Amino acid sequence: MTSPAIQRWAAFTDDPSGGNPAGVVLDADALSAVDMQRVAADVGYAETAFISGRGRRRGIRYFSPVAEVPFCGHATVASAVALAQTLGDGVFVFDATVGPIEITTTSSAGGRHAEFTSVEPWVRPLDERRLDAVLALIGCARDDLDPRHPPRLVFAGNAHPLVVFRDREVFDGFRFDAGDARRLMDDAGWPATIIVLREAGGGVWESRNIFPVGSIVEDPATGAAAAATGAYLRHTGAVSTPGSVRIEQGRHVGRAGTLHVRIPARGGITVSGAAVRID
């Protein structure tokens, strides 16, 4: 395999040391799935995106260091901003495993931003046994949950279990074993992250996303999870629709990022943020 050109970006931030790092390979037509997996493992980020085709509509595949994933929001944002550097701002369409993803880039004095709308989401009850397993993993009890926001299993491209904590101290202080988390997620068939939220007030939510892959334990800024969170907030009536929220994520792992989420009355959830080149 000829080594592909790999770009490294940080998404949902304007600071190369913040947000969520993503690898981007813009000319992946000749790469097999085995090649892509090898590259993603070498890059070591939560996900690397592989782009195929030409023009403003292209194929996209996402690989973590250990497996292919159906959808990755931060790598989608990074890929669109990377393409906009040469093709200019505007609308792009990525044909992903979960379906076509439309994403729009814009530029301002503060840099370049991208906005995507998720596939049609769904929200379901979280199995009681799985909920207890999640709480046991992070050393918490049901009394720590916010009674206003019930646990759910949420999909907006990937299936995520989602729990909301009542107290900031519990939210900030929980710990978990990465190996135990990986076994739980594999057993449950959860390909992405476990979402843990806290309502900060004023339309702001804090998020922590458990995601043990390779050397990564906790994901710093997760676009797919932000879309799932928007779907959850709509489904449970926690926000009026149409509406919007801001999600702050990553301070617990030293890579703070900001995700802006627009929540329509129906349909996909829109997530936007900045992206900046790391190298």
Side-chain angles (χ1 to χ4, degrees), residues 126 129-130 153 159 161 182-191:
L126 180 58
R129 180 173 61 90
R130 298 296 190 196
L153 185 66
R182 183 76 270 154
R183 285 185 287 274
L184 169 60
M185 295 169 71
D186 288 346
D187 180 63
W190 297 331

Side-chain angles (χ1 to χ4, degrees), residues 133-140 165 171-182 184-185 194 196 208-213 216-219 252-253:
V134 169
L135 294 176
L137 171 71
I138 56 182
C140 296
F165 282 154
F171 176 82
D172 286 341
F174 75 77
R175 300 289 185 269
F176 58 93
D177 180 84
D180 290 343
R182 183 76 270 154
L184 169 60
M185 295 169 71
I194 297 173
V196 183
R208 296 180 66 179
N209 279 240
I210 298 169
F211 190 51
V213 291
I216 300 160
V217 175
E218 188 172 328
D219 215 17
H252 298 85
V253 292

Side-chain angles (χ1 to χ4, degrees), residues 68-158:
E68 185 170 9
V69 297
F71 176 66
C72 175
H74 80 277
T76 299
V77 166
S79 297
V81 171
L83 283 173
Q85 283 194 316
T86 56
L87 297 180
D89 286 322
V91 177
F92 296 90
V93 178
F94 292 139
D95 290 313
T97 302
V98 295
I101 302 161
E102 185 173 295
I103 183 162
T104 303
T105 66
T106 56
S107 294
S108 67
R112 192 167 256 133
H113 291 66
E115 174 182 278
F116 71 86
T117 300
S118 77
V119 297
E120 184 70 33
W122 51 253
V123 181
R124 298 173 183 169
L126 180 58
D127 179 84
E128 295 287 327
R129 180 173 61 90
R130 298 296 190 196
L131 171 59
D132 287 338
V134 169
L135 294 176
L137 171 71
I138 56 182
C140 296
R142 294 199 182 205
D143 287 347
D144 295 316
L145 298 174
D146 191 327
R148 299 170 299 170
H149 306 296
R152 290 291 185 265
L153 185 66
V154 190
F155 175 90
N158 296 314

Side-chain angles (χ1 to χ4, degrees), residues 236-258:
T236 59
V239 297
S240 300
T241 57
S244 62
V245 298
R246 187 175 85 241
I247 296 176
E248 301 291 343
Q249 186 184 337
R251 67 179 176 86
H252 298 85
V253 292
R255 295 194 68 98
T258 301

Side-chain angles (χ1 to χ4, degrees), residues 42-88:
D42 289 343
V43 171
Y45 291 158
E47 278 90 12
T48 295
F50 296 85
I51 313 298
S52 58
R54 296 291 181 271
R56 303 189 78 89
R57 181 163 193 158
R58 303 198 183 197
I60 191 167
R61 296 176 72 175
Y62 311 94
F63 285 78
S64 81
V66 298
E68 185 170 9
V69 297
F71 176 66
C72 175
H74 80 277
T76 299
V77 166
S79 297
V81 171
L83 283 173
Q85 283 194 316
T86 56
L87 297 180

